[in-house]
Amino acid sequence: MTSTIRDSLNGRDDPLAGRFPGSASVAEPTAFLVERGMAADAARERIPRACVSGAAELLSRPLVAVRQAGARPRSFAVARWQAARGSIVTSLRHEGIRIDEPEGRALPAAADGTRDREALAATLGGRPDARQVVDRFLARFADTGLIEA
């Protein structure tokens, strides 16, 4: 939906772009376009067109992915299991995410919602830059849809 809305507004800011990797209901982009002068019927027609063009995906329910990891980050359960076994994990958007770095693969398993960032840093074996490593990977994981909370 993002590029379709952006095209409809001739390049004006798109408030839905900040939702990625999460999702928005169909009503949100429709209301956004109507508020900016598009007829309601035309706005509703944009949604299926966006799906056909690949600019949007229809989902059966909202994604629970967050843009920023919380105080006790929780990575997607499937990704926690996969990270312990290899370098490709599945995001909440059902996309494969490669994590080549060993410390990066250790974090999804540890980020189970029970540890804060300091406790996650401790799982990296006393590295002096452990907190920065945790922050960097959590930001990357949030950007790619691996973090639920």
Side-chain angles (χ1 to χ4, degrees), residues 31-110:
F32 178 77
L33 293 170
V34 169
E35 287 170 7
R36 280 146 185 84
M38 185 178 284
D41 288 341
R44 281 190 293 273
E45 289 175 9
R46 294 279 180 181
I47 307 307
R49 282 193 216 156
C51 294
V52 170
S53 73
E57 298 173 290
L58 285 179
L59 306 170
S60 61
R61 65 182 90 146
L63 290 177
V64 294
V66 297
R67 291 203 36 89
Q68 292 185 347
R72 293 183 178 275
R74 185 178 68 241
S75 59
F76 182 37
V78 172
R80 289 196 306 265
W81 184 85
Q82 291 172 325
R85 290 158 179 79
S87 61
I88 305 287
V89 299
T90 304
S91 76
L92 288 156
R93 300 192 65 80
H94 304 281
E95 297 170 338
I97 307 297
R98 178 178 293 281
I99 307 171
D100 290 322
E101 305 87 344
E103 62 274 16
R105 284 197 307 275
L107 284 175

Side-chain angles (χ1 to χ4, degrees), residues 127-140:
R127 289 178 56 150
D129 63 342
R131 178 60 193 263
Q132 290 82 16
V133 170
V134 166
D135 289 342
R136 181 171 45 92
F137 276 107
L138 288 178
R140 177 177 158 200

